[in-house]
Amino acid sequence: MKQIRKISARFIIVVSLVSAVTSCKKVVDVDPISNEAVNNYYKNYKEVSVALSGCYNGMQEPLINEWQFTELRSDNARQRSVNSTTNVNMELNVLNLYTAGPSHQQVYNYWLAMYKNIRNVNYVLRSLGVTYQNGQLVFGTPTATITEAQRDELAGQALFIRAYHYFNLVRLYGGVFIVTEPLEAAQARKVNRSSVNDCYNLIVKDLEAAVAKSSAKPYNQITSTDLGRANAWSAKALLAKVYLTLPVPRAADALTLLNDVIANSGYGLENSFARVFAINNEMNKEILFAVRYKAGLVGLGNPMANMFAPASSGDAVINGDGGGFNYPTTSISTAFTTSATSFSDARKDVTIASYANSTTPLYVNKFFSKVIVAGDAENDFTVLRFSDVLLMKAEAQGYDGASGSSVGLINQVRERAGAGNYTTGNFTSAFYKYPASGTSSIASSADFQAALLKERRLEFAFENQRLFDLMRFGQAVINMQNHYAAEYSTYYSRFSPTIPLATLQANINNDKLLLPIPQREIDTNTDIKIPQNPGY
């Protein structure tokens, strides 16, 4: 079952989706509720539940732009056309080239969409009596008439959503505005940026509470009405990723959480990689959390199939043509090992497809399904998967030898993707699991980190994780400089006027890994001076 809510700036559109067990027959009711009356609206469990469902749907809007900051600024994606002068393509090119400035419209649109949904979450938490005071969460008296168990159930989910948004914000912008309650405009202008550490403190506190308050039912006991909602297991997985990302990582704490998810959650790998993303297998046992979409001409469909399909392909690939965005690079296309006679990586055909009648034939296939009208695909967008839990455990453990359990976790993910046992030959001619000894084994910590980072790239390509992974591993700058060099002659040299490779490589540094704080936020605040990120 999908429970999805459409939120605009002025209205919360409440969409109650009632599904049969087979998830193929759904009834939709639409009831608009004015945001201006929100102070008097959330009075009981049902009304808070409806508002929380609106927060789930509010997670869709940032995804329209998120790939631009995570995939396009990594070695996974580039622009289809180098010299287009349309505003859209020029905005995308400067992101790919790391020359975007504080006035970039999409940088602001993403920021605005995130804070809009954080505001929605804060209304829910206020009605539940949950506040953030002096660096701690306080569970006070709800304003809504609600039992303690009901309050905990809803608060755990709301805190997960808020933590998820702030986690993305702090990774992309650095220290941001900590807003934990609904504010009037005059109040909001008094809030300045917080430190990265303070932002992470909020994220950790929110997720710790989400772990404690949310349902810990194993996967096979979750009812169809609750599939897709955040629970204790998704909160533990996200908190583990936060622990690994902290300025001072807490690997041991992450490992405790990940071991618990692996041993007790009931989640696990799907038998095939393709089944993870199949629209007739949504919210399967591998998906701990996803942003959900609903096709069917109700305004809740996923636009990514049309956004990423080949441009100017008409209806040959998908009804309504494609945008050609998020175009796969040569390096991601060739990173998957395929063989005509031996083991091949099954993830490639699921991740990338090709349209033969095009000069730029590659496109992202992972979130692709047929549509009746453009922008109305069924595909959910995966946020946390069980394979991520396995690879995070390998990361948290670190290298423990060529035959150790960390390499074994990588091999578990590779085996599901079609890797066979290594006997002889090389890893470029066939797709193998890493052997426990010999010249093709993982023999050092440096080799282990490179293998783990590569595996994450292949497993989560175009799931908006690549740049975050490179940053967490401390490899983003050198990796992108090497990427520019590798694809300079075939792509980056074609820009007019020509950009010398040295200039292109100099564009990216540790400062520029962060996006700028939107200039509009700085210029329109007449009460306080908001500092810009270094380098902008």
Side-chain angles (χ1 to χ4, degrees), residues 234-476:
S234 55
K236 288 179 181 181
L238 186 58
L239 181 55
K241 184 166 288 189
V242 171
Y243 283 156
L244 292 173
T245 309
L246 289 173
V248 179
R250 294 168 56 178
D253 292 330
L255 187 59
T256 298
L257 294 169
L258 296 166
N259 281 332
D260 189 12
V261 174
I262 292 169
N264 301 309
S265 71
Y267 289 87
L269 293 179
E270 281 288 298
N271 292 332
S272 77
F273 190 71
R275 288 289 292 160
V276 178
F277 305 96
I279 61 173
N280 61 354
N281 192 37
E282 294 176 323
M283 296 313 302
N284 55 70
K285 67 177 182 179
E286 181 158 341
I287 299 176
L288 280 80
F289 190 78
V291 177
R292 309 216 62 194
Y293 290 88
K294 174 72 180 77
L297 304 178
V298 294
L300 299 170
N302 190 334
M304 294 177 198
N306 285 95
M307 288 167 58
F308 302 156
S312 303
S313 57
D315 294 334
V317 175
I318 190 169
N319 286 346
D321 206 353
F325 301 126
N326 214 9
Y327 183 83
T329 60
T330 301
S331 64
I332 184 60
S333 179
T334 58
F336 296 95
T337 304
T338 59
S339 171
T341 59
S342 189
F343 304 107
S344 290
D345 193 334
R347 293 174 293 197
K348 181 172 185 177
D349 288 343
V350 176
T351 303
I352 300 172
S354 178
Y355 174 54
N357 297 328
S358 174
T359 56
T360 52
L362 300 181
Y363 64 94
V364 176
N365 192 48
K366 214 170 207 178
F367 310 105
F368 186 91
S369 62
K370 297 296 184 182
V371 300
I372 297 174
V373 297
D376 193 41
E378 177 70 18
N379 311 73
D380 296 337
F381 188 87
T382 53
V383 172
L384 289 165
R385 297 200 276 115
F386 191 78
S387 57
D388 200 354
V389 171
L390 295 177
L391 294 178
M392 281 195 291
K393 179 178 177 179
E395 181 181 343
Q397 287 183 161
Y399 181 63
D400 56 357
S403 60
S405 62
S406 292
V407 173
L409 290 164
I410 297 176
N411 279 338
Q412 189 175 344
V413 174
R414 288 175 74 82
E415 183 175 26
R416 194 272 299 275
N421 292 321
Y422 177 81
T423 53
T424 186
N426 60 69
F427 274 63
T428 60
S429 61
F431 185 50
Y432 297 111
K433 292 180 288 183
Y434 294 102
S437 61
T439 57
S440 295
S441 63
I442 299 176
S444 69
S445 293
D447 289 345
F448 170 74
Q449 184 187 79
L452 179 57
L453 194 54
K454 179 180 180 179
E455 204 61 39
R456 291 190 61 85
R457 184 188 189 191
L458 298 174
E459 181 73 13
F460 307 116
F462 305 105
E463 294 179 49
N464 295 354
Q465 298 209 43
R466 178 60 172 168
L467 184 62
F468 292 145
D469 287 346
L470 289 170
M471 292 168 67
R472 188 170 73 252
F473 280 64
Q475 297 294 311

Side-chain angles (χ1 to χ4, degrees), residues 132-293:
Y132 185 70
Q133 302 174 21
N134 301 317
Q136 301 291 328
L137 280 177
V138 177
F139 282 73
T141 303
T143 59
T145 302
I146 200 168
T147 69
E148 183 177 355
Q150 290 172 333
R151 188 270 306 273
D152 289 351
E153 169 200 339
L154 299 177
Q157 296 176 59
L159 290 167
F160 175 92
I161 296 172
R162 187 169 73 180
Y164 166 79
H165 284 319
Y166 270 113
F167 188 34
N168 284 344
L169 282 169
V170 74
R171 289 184 293 177
L172 286 172
Y173 296 90
V176 293
F177 307 125
I178 292 180
V179 182
T180 59
E181 57 185 278
L183 298 178
E184 300 297 330
Q187 296 173 301
R189 286 195 296 270
K190 303 293 184 183
V191 178
N192 211 326
R193 297 178 65 184
S194 294
S195 69
V196 167
N197 286 335
D198 284 347
C199 291
Y200 272 116
N201 184 71
L202 170 66
I203 294 164
V204 168
K205 294 300 182 183
D206 278 0
L207 287 174
E208 287 176 342
V211 167
K213 302 295 185 181
S214 301
S215 170
K217 290 181 181 178
Y219 176 77
N220 62 4
Q221 294 181 24
I222 300 174
T223 64
S224 60
T225 57
D226 286 334
L227 278 177
R229 293 185 177 276
N231 56 33
W233 308 114
S234 55
K236 288 179 181 181
L238 186 58
L239 181 55
K241 184 166 288 189
V242 171
Y243 283 156
L244 292 173
T245 309
L246 289 173
V248 179
R250 294 168 56 178
D253 292 330
L255 187 59
T256 298
L257 294 169
L258 296 166
N259 281 332
D260 189 12
V261 174
I262 292 169
N264 301 309
S265 71
Y267 289 87
L269 293 179
E270 281 288 298
N271 292 332
S272 77
F273 190 71
R275 288 289 292 160
V276 178
F277 305 96
I279 61 173
N280 61 354
N281 192 37
E282 294 176 323
M283 296 313 302
N284 55 70
K285 67 177 182 179
E286 181 158 341
I287 299 176
L288 280 80
F289 190 78
V291 177
R292 309 216 62 194
Y293 290 88

